[in-house]
Amino acid sequence: MFLHSNLLLVIFVLGVIAIFIGFGFRDRNPGIVLLGTGFLITLFVIIRKAIDVFGPG
């Protein structure tokens, strides 16, 4: 399976988020743009929390 690598998984997730944001800009729908940016912010918060919990220090 091509999603076995962590880097490919991150690229895939960011691509899906970019698709949501792109559809929102194309259709001039601010709700889909906010959905994409909300996913992006949620992903950032989860990564930061994981670094705090499992990271060095």
Side-chain angles (χ1 to χ4, degrees):
M1 185 173 185
F2 82 99
L3 292 178
H4 185 66
S5 172
N6 288 337
L7 178 63
L8 287 176
L9 182 62
V10 168
I11 291 172
F12 179 76
V13 169
L14 289 177
V16 170
I17 292 171
I19 287 171
F20 279 127
I21 294 172
F23 280 152
F25 282 135
R26 188 191 70 183
D27 295 338
R28 294 183 181 90
N29 188 350
I32 298 177
V33 174
L34 287 176
L35 176 78
T37 54
F39 282 157
L40 196 61
I41 291 169
T42 304
L43 184 68
F44 176 74
V45 169
I46 290 171
I47 290 172
R48 293 298 296 174
K49 184 65 176 175
I51 289 172
D52 288 343
V53 171
F54 299 113

